[in-house]
Amino acid sequence: MKFSSVSFLAAVFSSPLSTPLFGGSSSVVVVSASAIVEAVKKESGREKREGKGRFLGAFSKADSLRETLLERKNKKPRKVRHWKPNEVEEADFNSSTALGRLNSTTSLLGRLGIEPSRTKVESFAADISGGIPCTKRNGEADVKCDGYYACDGINPDHVGCGSCNGQAACLFATGTVIGEESCNEFGACYKTSGAEIEDQSCNGVGACGLSPGIVVEEGSCNKSYEDDYAMCGLASGAHIGKESCLGHYACTKRDGSKIGKGSCQGYESCYAPFYYDEEAEGRYSDGPGGNIGDGSCNYTMSCGAFRGTVGNDSCNTFCACYFGRGTVHDGSCGRSDSSDYFACWDMRGTVHDNSCNGVIACDSTYGRIGKDSCNEYEACYHSSTFIGDKSCNGNSTCFGVNGYEIGSCACNTDFECLCVSEEGEEGYTCDNSDGVFTDAQKSTCKRSAKARKGREGDRGSASANIFSPDD
């Protein structure tokens, strides 16, 4: 049996997300969740608000997905095994937790109240044929390099105990150093040369495959469900922090990205879409992924297809920051303890600290949002403007604003500075007959002398390692 980049990619990465792993026959496949996004938009619709000439949409859209989310959240974990165990092994497995459980009571996912249901590849007794017997640091007997071509092209001395078990696992991972209980299952760490992979990482079909030079810290790039695959695949040169990139397609194609600790935990979280041409064996990214801070993008499809930079503790709700472009600073676009679904969906521009926290807050917003702004249901939805600090904090405030800037400490009452969309017309009309937008544009906050030394919208120091001086 021979393996090549073509066959591996075709098997693991080329299938449309709605088809089985080895399905699909097209020579050129677009690997993205655009079809899912369009289906969500069509099914949820936007109910017209009577007498306002505008649309709601957030609650109907969120409610229509709530049942699906809860079903996935409560899904029972399934045991993953690669060969039939004997009775003693089965008893030991059933009486224990999943090997190397990644979540803890202090993890962000635990605080979210989501059952991770991660099932990692189990350790196997040393008397199983085909592998190299070894002993873990804790004294437990195990094997490594068990499977067809499992360690061809890599020095087994650089493979930790309980690792590289599976067909083509670690095949041609030349110069890579792999910790314990890592790179298990078909194609895990395939052709991932010159990489550093710590303990309990890269477990799942195609996990970390074709990612030369990747650095994966402990407990990262693992599957969450039995049928998850390709976590951290095609992510050459990326640096993945501890307990990050967990779940189907999480962090796929994040070339050169830096992912912080406890981030990108969710189905399709933080993946970058790419095109695959089977005939040319080409992988074409749909834009640079960018960096993500600590404790961010932890929910289904959060930060999926996002191009740009996300700070710390941001984008932590369903589809938060999905398809966005630009920069999201700390504590923005979906709080982890909330139901701020679709916050910053398809946004373009910059969102500063502690802003855009609310159901579809800053959805399809183009421009710049200052600090502590646009927090509440539908705030700043579809706005295309500059919004200062501490502004637009109210239900539907600054909805559809265009043609006027919003100053600081302005438009903080429900439905204030709201623009409408006339039926049959594109865009939004802002009625300034009473001077509300003129007043808002001139509005400023009273600040202390100490505060005046800083620039409005400056980022917090917590993300200094993530953002460039130009943000």
Side-chain angles (χ1 to χ4, degrees):
M1 183 180 294
K2 296 182 179 180
F3 289 89
S4 67
S5 298
V6 174
S7 61
F8 179 77
L9 279 168
V12 179
F13 295 105
S14 65
S15 300
L17 301 185
S18 60
T19 62
L21 172 61
F22 297 101
S25 58
S26 175
S27 62
V28 180
V29 178
V30 179
V31 183
S32 74
S34 60
I36 297 175
V37 174
E38 291 303 317
V40 167
K41 288 184 176 180
K42 289 179 180 179
E43 289 178 7
S44 61
R46 295 193 181 275
E47 299 175 2
K48 189 173 181 182
R49 183 186 289 250
E50 188 173 336
K52 291 290 185 180
R54 49 183 291 275
F55 297 91
L56 282 175
F59 289 134
S60 61
K61 181 161 52 176
D63 290 342
S64 67
L65 291 161
R66 190 181 304 277
E67 184 175 346
T68 301
L69 290 173
L70 290 175
E71 181 181 348
R72 182 170 180 84
K73 171 183 172 182
N74 297 323
K75 187 176 180 181
K76 299 291 185 182
R78 288 171 284 182
K79 303 181 183 72
V80 179
R81 304 188 60 87
H82 289 277
W83 45 80
K84 186 176 180 180
N86 58 42
E87 293 181 0
V88 175
E89 288 178 304
E90 187 66 39
D92 290 341
F93 179 75
N94 289 333
S95 63
S96 67
T97 59
L99 175 66
R101 180 183 294 275
L102 301 181
N103 67 303
S104 66
T105 55
T106 59
S107 70
L108 179 58
L109 210 59
R111 294 201 303 274
L112 286 171
I114 300 172
E115 181 182 357
S117 299
R118 298 185 198 97
T119 53
K120 295 184 62 184
V121 175
E122 187 194 355
S123 296
F124 297 96
D127 61 352
I128 293 178
S129 61
I132 301 173
C134 59
T135 303
K136 299 176 187 175
R137 291 190 296 272
N138 63 6
E140 180 182 350
D142 209 327
V143 295
K144 61 182 179 180
C145 302
D146 186 9
Y148 290 112
Y149 301 97
C151 287
D152 282 18
I154 184 175
N155 185 347
D157 293 339
H158 296 165
V159 176
C161 190
S163 297
C164 299
N165 294 308
Q167 185 174 332
C170 307
L171 176 63
F172 298 138
T174 308
T176 291
V177 177
I178 300 171
E180 293 186 348
E181 300 171 1
S182 297
C183 300
N184 293 302
E185 291 204 42
F186 168 69
C189 304
Y190 166 75
K191 274 196 172 181
T192 297
S193 59
E196 298 178 25
I197 298 171
E198 295 186 2
D199 295 349
Q200 301 169 355
S201 297
C202 302
N203 291 305
V205 174
C208 304
L210 290 170
S211 298
I214 192 173
V215 175
V216 181
E217 296 184 16
E218 183 179 359
S220 296
C221 304
N222 291 311
K223 63 196 296 184
S224 293
Y225 293 92
E226 183 179 345
D227 52 354
D228 291 348
Y229 59 91
M231 296 68 64
C232 303
L234 299 170
S236 59
H239 187 128
I240 311 298
K242 186 177 180 180
E243 294 184 0
S244 294
C245 305
L246 306 175
H248 181 69
Y249 258 64
C251 303
T252 295
K253 202 65 179 75
R254 303 290 304 202
D255 305 61
S257 292
K258 179 180 179 181
I259 309 294
K261 298 178 181 179
S263 295
C264 306
Q265 300 176 351
Y267 176 88
E268 289 187 16
S269 59
C270 307
Y271 88 97
F274 64 95
Y275 295 83
Y276 172 66
D277 188 330
E278 183 175 310
E279 295 179 357
E281 195 187 346
R283 283 93 64 193
Y284 307 101
S285 177
D286 195 20
N291 298 332
I292 293 172
D294 297 339
S296 293
C297 309
N298 290 314
Y299 214 98
T300 298
M301 296 170 70
S302 60
C303 302
F306 183 91
R307 300 181 196 167
T309 302
V310 176
N312 301 324
D313 301 311
S314 294
C315 308
N316 283 318
T317 59
F318 179 72
C319 281
C321 305
Y322 196 83
F323 273 122
R325 306 288 185 271
T327 301
V328 175
H329 289 263
D330 297 348
S332 298
C333 299
R335 297 158 291 200
S336 59
D337 57 348
S338 72
S339 296
D340 298 336
Y341 297 154
F342 299 94
C344 301
W345 170 299
D346 200 29
M347 56 79 68
R348 301 287 190 276
T350 299
V351 176
H352 284 279
D353 296 346
N354 304 314
S355 296
C356 300
N357 292 307
V359 177
I360 65 169
C362 304
D363 184 322
S364 304
T365 292
Y366 287 58
R368 175 199 177 278
I369 309 294
K371 291 182 179 179
D372 304 304
S373 296
C374 304
N375 294 307
E376 288 299 336
Y377 162 65
E378 216 175 42
C380 305
Y381 176 85
H382 258 291
S383 65
S384 301
T385 188
F386 176 103
I387 296 174
D389 297 343
K390 299 180 180 179
S391 293
C392 305
N393 293 306
N395 291 310
S396 300
T397 53
C398 303
F399 183 105
V401 173
N402 63 91
Y404 297 94
E405 292 186 357
I406 304 295
S408 299
C409 294
C411 306
N412 288 315
T413 303
D414 288 354
F415 308 110
E416 190 177 3
C417 302
L418 181 149
C419 301
V420 299
S421 176
E422 301 297 338
E423 187 171 358
E425 295 183 7
E426 294 184 1
Y428 297 86
T429 301
C430 304
D431 183 2
N432 192 39
S433 58
D434 56 358
V436 63
F437 291 102
T438 301
D439 293 341
Q441 189 163 288
K442 296 178 180 179
S443 180
T444 58
C445 297
K446 293 181 179 180
R447 297 187 297 163
S448 65
K450 181 178 180 181
R452 284 195 294 272
K453 292 180 180 180
R455 176 173 61 86
E456 285 186 6
D458 278 348
R459 62 181 178 274
S461 58
S463 292
N465 63 323
I466 293 291
F467 297 106
S468 69
D470 296 329
D471 289 329

